[in-house]
Amino acid sequence: MGERRSYPGVPVVVAPPWRGGRPEDHQLPSVRGLVSADFTVVGAGLAGLSTAYHLLRYAPGTDVAVVDAGHPAAGASGHGTGLLGPRAGPPVDSAIRRFGPDTARRMHRASEDAVADALELCRTLDVPVRTGEQLVVARSPEGLARLSGQSAACRALGLDVPPLSAAGVRERIDVPCQAGLLYRQTATLDPALLTAALARACVANGARLYGRSPVVGRSGTGSGGTRLVFPRGELRTGAGVFAVNGGAGALGLPVGTVAPLEVHAIATEPLKPTVREVLGEASGAALVDAGRLAPYFRLTPDGRLVVGGGRASLPGRPPGTAGARKDDRARLATWRWLAERMRGLHPLLADTAVTHRWTGRIGVTLDDLPVVGPLAGVPGMWFIGGCCGHGLALSIAHGAYVARQLVGGGVGGGLSLPWHRSAAPTLPFGGAGRVVLRRYLDRLDRNVRREH
């Protein structure tokens, strides 16, 4: 991830700025021979590590193993852009139409609780967080129409999401726009740092972490447990969770379609203090465009501007295979599009250099809802995934929720998640399935994606 590639005009690091050139925090043993655990977590991202952390919190002394094909934060959790804010499922006006006002309100409240819990976890683990506001703004007629529908829906549900005038937005960030919505309980942070802190806390509380151990097979044990097979060993467990997000299909998990998609981001050189001031450094505000392709902007503690959004894509094909060069061109085009949006945000950014560009792989479902539930036909094992780009707060909440269920359901409090389910709608990936998925990506481009 510390590789440098030269694109026209600017040499860039192909990694987030908080990971570029930094050695990995964990050199973990792989699974070798026959091992066992009371609970096993497959996937050492935020969702998996949150599950392990809360298992050990609710049932101290429990034998917990965490297994990853790479290392903690190797996937989406280490490549997000660090926007922490409320959102679960489709935009709130769509949620009202699809599920009714009561469920839409409950979904939004649950996502607000997830943000609060994530902030509390950061305080507990001493992970630096910049609290502030998140502004969703309209900078085009299309964006204004979308924003108006969401504002009306928030008012109808009694949610604390007040509208802002153009002047109200510019009081916080000096960017011209037509209107905005204000989300108060939000923050920005380094997602890789949070993931690493969770991993250390799990180890300190007694969990065993294994890396470089992809699952290559699974079966029942005959005694109600699960046998997981790895290249150099196997692990037998009584219960646990597959927190593998868009990797579900590769493992043959019966969760419907949780499709892996690549999303894009860039980061700039450190900005001058005068530039940071007009971009809202004092208030800690982040900006999300309500228009098509939903670019969003936030400052880092060292004064860089991170920009995410743009067109999501299907996972790139391996180097040297047919279509890989086309994938590279598409990726570069999206990075350039983000750079253009960055430089067009404010005149003071016109000559700002991009120093980091990267992609992160998320998991999406056809109905925009996560999958969090027990796996059909796999006793004791659960699945977490499909947050559709809103996984920073939700992954932590999902881990705590699954941990409660695994140790008996009554520990730790909390009601059932509004989107508790074992599978999403299924879409075959061959033939016509890819056409439908491409149409779904086009629809994603028209929705606001406020976290990656």
Side-chain angles (χ1 to χ4, degrees):
M1 294 302 300
E3 174 189 2
R4 283 187 178 269
R5 297 179 185 174
S6 294
Y7 295 105
V10 181
V12 298
V13 176
V14 185
W18 41 83
R19 296 182 62 82
R22 191 177 75 186
E24 301 303 337
D25 295 323
H26 301 275
Q27 299 295 327
L28 302 176
S30 58
V31 175
R32 294 178 179 270
L34 178 61
V35 295
S36 62
D38 295 333
F39 298 103
T40 297
V41 175
V42 180
L46 284 172
L49 290 168
S50 175
T51 306
Y53 175 85
H54 286 95
L55 279 169
L56 292 163
R57 178 184 168 195
Y58 299 149
T62 299
D63 182 17
V64 177
V66 181
V67 187
D68 196 272
H71 56 80
S77 297
H79 299 85
T81 49
L83 267 70
L84 183 69
R87 172 76 182 269
V92 63
D93 50 344
S94 296
I96 290 175
R97 290 192 295 270
R98 289 171 54 184
F99 311 118
D102 290 342
T103 298
R105 183 184 300 107
R106 188 172 166 227
M107 288 170 62
H108 187 83
R109 300 284 193 213
S111 74
E112 290 180 325
D113 291 342
V115 172
D117 291 345
L119 290 172
E120 179 60 31
L121 180 64
C122 288
R123 285 189 286 268
T124 299
L125 300 180
D126 198 25
V127 173
V129 170
R130 180 71 190 276
T131 57
E133 300 171 335
Q134 195 172 104
L135 312 177
V136 181
V137 304
R139 305 181 72 205
S140 67
E142 175 224 6
L144 184 60
R146 181 172 294 121
L147 201 68
S148 297
Q150 293 179 21
S151 181
C154 289
R155 287 196 304 273
L157 296 182
L159 303 179
D160 182 23
V161 186
L164 291 174
S165 65
V169 172
R170 296 195 75 162
E171 287 176 0
R172 294 163 169 83
I173 299 180
D174 187 16
V175 172
C177 66
Q178 295 168 298
L181 285 178
L182 174 63
Y183 290 83
R184 304 180 196 275
Q185 185 178 301
T186 71
T188 58
L189 55 90
D190 176 343
L193 188 64
L194 173 57
T195 309
L198 259 179
R200 288 192 296 271
C202 288
V203 171
N205 290 332
R208 290 173 287 141
L209 266 63
Y210 298 94
R212 296 163 294 157
S213 299
V215 175
V216 296
R218 61 180 175 83
S219 64
T221 62
S223 58
T226 297
R227 172 178 173 263
L228 301 172
V229 182
F230 303 90
R232 294 180 178 84
E234 66 177 72
L235 192 157
R236 298 186 180 184
T237 188
V241 61
F242 286 93
V244 295
N245 208 16
L251 294 179
L253 301 179
V255 296
T257 298
V258 180
L261 294 182
E262 288 186 352
V263 292
H264 303 75
I266 61 172
T268 70
E269 61 187 329
L271 304 176
K272 295 178 181 178
T274 53
V275 183
R276 301 200 302 267
E277 181 181 357
V278 301
L279 294 180
E281 183 178 45
S283 66
L287 187 76
V288 183
D289 194 318
R292 190 173 182 270
L293 302 181
Y296 56 91
F297 311 82
R298 70 97 161 179
L299 290 168
T300 64
D302 62 348
R304 301 175 188 272
L305 185 63
V306 172
V307 185
R311 190 175 180 83
S313 60
L314 297 173
R317 285 154 283 202
T321 61
R325 186 170 296 180
K326 182 178 180 181
D327 292 339
D328 287 341
R329 289 196 299 268
R331 190 176 299 116
L332 179 55
T334 301
W335 282 331
R336 286 174 172 164
W337 185 89
L338 290 172
E340 290 171 1
R341 296 303 172 279
M342 177 271 294
R343 296 186 179 110
L345 185 65
H346 194 281
L348 291 175
L349 293 169
D351 298 321
T352 300
V354 172
T355 58
H356 295 75
R357 310 181 190 193
W358 71 100
T359 62
R361 187 168 294 187
I362 64 172
V364 302
T365 63
L366 295 178
D367 59 2
D368 301 314
L369 295 175
V371 178
V372 184
L375 284 172
V378 189
M381 297 299 291
W382 284 58
F383 177 81
I384 296 173
C387 290
C388 300
H390 308 291
L392 184 50
L394 292 183
S395 292
I396 295 168
H398 291 163
Y401 176 76
V402 170
R404 286 196 296 270
Q405 310 311 310
L406 289 174
V407 299
V411 179
L415 300 173
S416 176
L417 288 171
W419 46 86
H420 174 112
R421 59 179 183 168
S422 294
T426 298
L427 170 69
F429 273 87
R434 292 187 71 85
V435 175
V436 176
L437 186 57
R438 182 72 263 166
R439 290 175 180 168
Y440 172 77
L441 290 181
D442 291 338
R443 179 160 59 89
L444 270 186
D445 289 344
R446 295 191 296 271
N447 287 340
V448 176
R449 295 188 302 277
R450 291 197 282 108
E451 285 182 70
H452 293 144

